[in-house]
């Protein structure tokens, strides 16, 4: 095996192992989310991402909280929107003007 191939395989293994952790350091969270360090600092500074500072300086992240944060504001598919519209139109409780 070439060194490039070995390095790629090791990186995949590291990423799989990271998914098993419950708490991330700042660096790990950046790697896990794919967010740059600069933008992550901005998010933590403005309290737009859930994080913890148990000793007032070092930043930690809960994997569960980060997963919830990443999945906020889902965009509905066209099919979901059409289904909601159809349900609204046939609903007897809809507040449409007659």
């Amino acid at each position: 095996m070439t060194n490039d191939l070995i390095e790629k395989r090791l990186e995949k293994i590291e990423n799989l192992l990271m998914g098993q952790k419950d708490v991330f350091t700042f660096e790990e969270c950046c790697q896990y989310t794919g967010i740059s360090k600069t933008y992550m600092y901005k998010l933590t500074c403005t309290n737009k991402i859930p994080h913890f500072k148990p000793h007032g300086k070092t930043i930690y992240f809960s994997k569960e909280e980060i997963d919830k944060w990443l999945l906020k504001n889902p965009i509905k598919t066209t099919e979901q929107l059409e289904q909601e519209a159809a349900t609204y139109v046939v609903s007897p409780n809809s507040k449409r003007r007659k």
Side-chain angles (χ1 to χ4, degrees), residues 12-95:
K12 284 182 182 179
I13 292 169
E14 286 175 348
N15 288 338
L16 288 171
L17 289 174
M18 187 178 304
Q20 301 298 315
K21 293 184 76 174
D22 292 330
V23 176
F24 295 136
T25 63
F26 184 84
E27 302 274 336
E28 291 169 338
C29 191
C30 290
Q31 187 176 5
Y32 179 73
T33 61
I35 295 173
S36 71
K37 291 180 185 179
T38 305
Y39 189 57
M40 185 65 78
Y41 275 120
K42 184 176 181 177
L43 291 172
T44 57
C45 181
T46 57
N47 294 325
K48 295 195 176 185
I49 189 168
H51 63 284
F52 303 87
K53 288 185 175 185
H55 303 290
K57 190 169 184 174
T58 307
I59 301 172
Y60 295 98
F61 302 85
S62 161
K63 180 181 183 292
E64 183 179 338
E65 292 288 323
I66 293 301
D67 287 341
K68 286 179 189 176
W69 181 80
L70 287 170
L71 296 174
K72 280 190 332 184
N73 301 326
I75 307 301
K76 294 182 180 180
T77 64
T78 305
E79 185 177 308
Q80 289 170 323
L81 292 171
E82 288 172 353
Q83 180 61 42
E84 283 182 16
T87 303
Y88 177 79
V89 169
V90 298
S91 173
N93 297 329
S94 64
K95 298 177 181 176

